[in-house]
Amino acid sequence: MYDDLADEWWDPAGVFAMLHWLAAARARLVPPATRSGAVLVDLGCGGGLLAPHLVGKGYRHVGVDLVASALGHAAAHGVDAVRADVSRLPVRTGCADVVSAGEILEHVTDLEATVAEACRALRSGGLLVLDTLADTALCRLIAITLAERVGGAPKGVHDPALLVDPARLVALCAEHGVELEVRGIRPSLTGLARRAAGHPAPVPMVPTFTTAVLYQGRGVKW
C-alpha cells in the first residue's frame, strides 16, 4: 500500500496530510539538542515528514522504515535512512538522545518488542516522543470507519486489532525505564473548517481532554 502511495508523501493536500500535522505537533515535543553529535532515531519515518521540523535543533536524524520507496523520499529530505524492522533495530543500545515513534505503534504486530527496542535505543536521560491511535470503540469509529469512508484515509491502512491502549503503553514503557505521560490530541476545529473552505494551510493539532481516539506520549528514560 505504501509503495502504491509513494508519490503522496510530500503532497500537503494528499492522503498523508494529517501525518504532516502530526509530525509538526510531535516535533514540538523535541527540545534542541544539548550535546554535539546528538542522534534522533525516527521509527516508522515514512517519507521523512519530521525532518523539516527538526532543522536547527542539532540532531542527526536517523529514520527507520520497511518501505524502500518511503525511505527514498526521507533520504532526499536529509534523513539517514535505514531499512529495518522497528521491532529489531540495528542500532547500539543507548545510542539515541531522542526516539520518535509517530503513527507507527498502531501498525506493528509485536508492540512489546517495538517498545522494548525504542527504550533500548535511548541513552539514560533520553527522550521518547510518540503518537498513536487508542484501542477503543470510539477510535475505531472515527479513525477507521469514518476516516476511510469520508475522510480520505486509504482503505485498510489501519488494522483495528493493532490499536494501542494508553494504559498498556505506559506500563510497557515503565518496564523499560521510561516514564511516559500521555495526553489526547485532535485537529483544530477552526483549522479543519478553514481547510474545508479551501484554505490549504496545515491544521494545528491541539490538546483534548480524552485519549480515547488519538494521543501523544512523552517520557524520559531514567
Side-chain angles (χ1 to χ4, degrees), residues 72-151:
H73 286 282
H77 286 83
V79 179
D80 290 343
V82 178
R83 189 165 190 261
D85 188 330
V86 295
S87 68
R88 294 188 296 274
L89 293 175
V91 301
R92 288 186 295 105
T93 296
C95 72
D97 298 80
V98 178
V99 170
S100 169
E103 295 303 294
I104 180 62
L105 299 180
E106 72 273 20
H107 293 286
V108 300
T109 55
D110 193 338
L111 181 66
E112 292 87 349
T114 302
V115 171
E117 282 290 87
C119 296
R120 178 187 67 80
L122 278 175
R123 66 174 180 83
S124 179
L127 179 68
L128 175 64
V129 297
L130 58 88
D131 40 74
T132 190
L133 294 172
D135 184 15
T136 65
L138 181 61
C139 183
R140 287 188 283 275
L141 173 64
I142 293 175
I144 298 179
T145 304
L146 294 179
E148 291 184 3
R149 287 182 184 174
V150 299

Side-chain angles (χ1 to χ4, degrees), residues 19-200:
L19 297 186
H20 286 257
W21 313 340
L22 285 163
R26 193 179 325 119
R28 289 196 290 272
L29 302 178
V30 178
T34 57
R35 68 184 187 95
S36 176
V39 173
L40 182 146
V41 177
D42 187 357
L43 306 186
C45 68
L49 303 185
L50 192 61
H53 308 289
L54 297 177
V55 172
K57 290 196 173 185
Y59 294 97
R60 176 186 176 192
H61 185 180
V62 178
V64 180
D65 208 292
L66 280 174
V67 183
S69 58
L71 289 170
H73 286 282
H77 286 83
V79 179
D80 290 343
V82 178
R83 189 165 190 261
D85 188 330
V86 295
S87 68
R88 294 188 296 274
L89 293 175
V91 301
R92 288 186 295 105
T93 296
C95 72
D97 298 80
V98 178
V99 170
S100 169
E103 295 303 294
I104 180 62
L105 299 180
E106 72 273 20
H107 293 286
V108 300
T109 55
D110 193 338
L111 181 66
E112 292 87 349
T114 302
V115 171
E117 282 290 87
C119 296
R120 178 187 67 80
L122 278 175
R123 66 174 180 83
S124 179
L127 179 68
L128 175 64
V129 297
L130 58 88
D131 40 74
T132 190
L133 294 172
D135 184 15
T136 65
L138 181 61
C139 183
R140 287 188 283 275
L141 173 64
I142 293 175
I144 298 179
T145 304
L146 294 179
E148 291 184 3
R149 287 182 184 174
V150 299
K155 187 172 179 58
V157 70
H158 291 114
D159 180 347
L162 300 180
L163 302 184
V164 182
D165 177 70
R168 182 186 179 208
L169 183 56
V170 169
L172 286 172
C173 287
E175 289 177 12
H176 298 282
V178 173
E179 187 177 345
L180 188 73
E181 296 181 353
V182 299
R183 68 173 183 177
I185 56 171
R186 61 168 175 80
S188 157
L189 298 181
T190 303
L192 288 176
R194 287 198 192 105
R195 195 170 182 87
H199 297 280

Side-chain angles (χ1 to χ4, degrees), residues 191-213:
L192 288 176
R194 287 198 192 105
R195 195 170 182 87
H199 297 280
V203 177
M205 302 299 295
V206 297
T208 187
F209 67 94
T210 178
T211 59
V213 180

